[in-house]
Amino acid sequence: MQIFVLLFNARTENEGIHTLQIGDRNVVLMFEEEDDAIRFAGLLEAQDFPEAAVEAFEADEIEEFCEGAGYVAKRISPGELVIPPERNLEKTLWDPDAPPDQPVTDDKSLSESEFDQIRQRLEKLL
């Protein structure tokens, strides 16, 4: 099955995939409908994110990537409304200007209450 994800610097050596950080986990949103992914990308841009490209992949490919990277893959059903968190990380884990072989480090995570708020918002989407 084909799904859609959001990529930054798509098709470059320094490509990054959009994730939501929930606690100590990174969640990759796998949209089943391209229009839903485009809508979410627009919401991110409204929050001053760099422009994200909506790219099609086989679901198995993204699920394997997530498993290997320690991420969680979350399918977004057609028409399911997904809203970016109100608060973004001040420092992202991906730097669009970094060399492609530079390691990614995570030096900040959400507090327990912030995690609970995001979890509740995601549960409402289900």
Side-chain angles (χ1 to χ4, degrees):
M1 171 181 197
Q2 192 173 45
I3 53 88
F4 301 89
V5 296
L6 278 62
L7 299 178
F8 301 103
N9 278 2
R11 293 181 219 99
T12 70
E13 289 185 21
N14 190 24
E15 188 173 71
I17 191 166
H18 176 267
T19 63
L20 294 176
Q21 185 177 8
I22 301 176
D24 63 347
R25 304 301 306 256
N26 286 303
V27 178
V28 174
L29 301 178
M30 300 188 325
F31 294 88
E32 292 181 4
E33 292 288 330
E34 184 176 21
D35 287 344
D36 294 334
I38 291 168
R39 186 176 307 110
F40 189 78
L43 292 172
L44 288 176
E45 280 189 60
Q47 290 185 341
D48 295 327
F49 270 79
E51 184 177 348
V54 173
E55 297 286 328
F57 288 91
E58 288 300 316
D60 293 346
E61 186 178 350
I62 296 299
E63 289 166 349
E64 286 176 28
F65 163 78
C66 288
E67 186 176 316
Y71 294 172
V72 175
K74 165 106 171 76
R75 284 184 191 255
I76 305 300
S77 301
E80 186 176 337
L81 180 62
V82 182
I83 300 171
E86 292 176 16
R87 184 173 160 259
N88 297 321
L89 288 176
E90 301 221 357
K91 180 182 179 198
T92 63
L93 300 179
W94 171 78
D95 179 359
D97 300 319
D101 58 350
Q102 179 177 336
V104 173
T105 59
D106 180 4
D107 60 358
K108 183 176 180 181
S109 62
L110 298 174
S111 71
E112 192 66 32
S113 66
E114 292 168 323
F115 172 75
D116 288 339
Q117 289 174 350
I118 293 171
R119 181 177 44 81
Q120 289 171 358
R121 290 175 68 191
L122 288 172
E123 286 174 353
K124 287 179 186 177
L125 295 174
L126 299 175

